[in-house]
Amino acid sequence: MPDSMSEQLRRDMECEGLLECFHGLKQLDKQCFQVLVRAEEPLTVDEIADIVGRERSTAYRSIQRLLQAGFIQKEQVNYEQGGYYHVYSPTDAERISDNMQRMLNDWYAKMGQLIQEFEDKYEQEGGEVAVES
């Protein structure tokens, strides 16, 4: 079960915690992302797997989660004799930040709507609701 909002606010958080908070990414996902950020050039899944010390299939699943969340980009590299492979690189930090800001704004609007619905519902019923602080 995710931590409550009040628990999250009491904890010390680092900016990398946003990966988990916004997208539910795992520790391995954060490691793979950091590997890509530190790399001087795009990497293959095999290279990432070697660096993080995991099986290729495990690293691949992590890379897919990062792709879906928009934190990394995939590029196809073609061999001259035919065939291809994919390399991965981090998405621009400003683009990621803009996306998280939009998501936060959407979440804030949704929470405001739900709070209003809560007030309307319990105000109509005339009852008081005990709320822990």
Side-chain angles (χ1 to χ4, degrees):
M1 179 177 194
D3 293 340
S4 71
M5 185 183 302
S6 59
E7 289 171 334
Q8 288 182 29
L9 290 171
R10 284 192 296 266
R11 269 189 343 215
D12 287 336
M13 291 184 73
E14 296 178 355
C15 63
E16 291 81 11
L18 294 172
L19 298 171
E20 180 181 351
C21 182
F22 276 77
H23 297 284
L25 298 179
K26 302 175 182 183
Q27 184 62 33
L28 177 59
D29 305 337
K30 293 184 224 178
Q31 289 175 327
C32 290
F33 180 70
Q34 289 173 344
V35 163
L36 288 167
V37 168
R38 292 181 185 132
E40 293 182 14
E41 58 188 36
L43 301 174
T44 65
V45 171
D46 290 328
E47 292 169 328
I48 296 165
D50 286 344
I51 294 168
V52 298
R54 297 294 185 98
E55 295 290 326
R56 183 188 195 286
S57 60
T58 303
Y60 180 78
R61 286 190 298 274
S62 182
I63 293 302
Q64 292 306 304
R65 285 189 292 272
L66 288 167
L67 269 171
Q68 185 176 19
F71 284 91
I72 64 173
Q73 298 175 31
K74 175 170 77 170
E75 181 183 341
Q76 180 174 307
V77 179
N78 297 316
Y79 292 113
E80 286 183 20
Q81 64 275 19
Y84 63 90
Y85 63 97
H86 292 112
V87 292
Y88 301 88
S89 59
T91 301
D92 178 61
E94 185 176 351
R95 190 167 151 201
I96 294 171
S97 296
D98 288 347
N99 184 33
M100 286 192 289
Q101 186 63 56
R102 276 191 298 281
M103 190 179 290
L104 179 61
N105 292 343
D106 292 347
W107 181 87
Y108 186 80
K110 180 68 174 176
M111 291 304 105
Q113 178 184 10
L114 291 172
I115 290 168
Q116 187 61 53
E117 287 176 19
F118 179 88
E119 181 180 340
D120 294 345
K121 178 178 180 179
Y122 289 101
E123 192 173 80
Q124 290 173 358
E125 294 181 9
E128 290 188 22
V129 179
V131 178
E132 292 181 27
S133 50

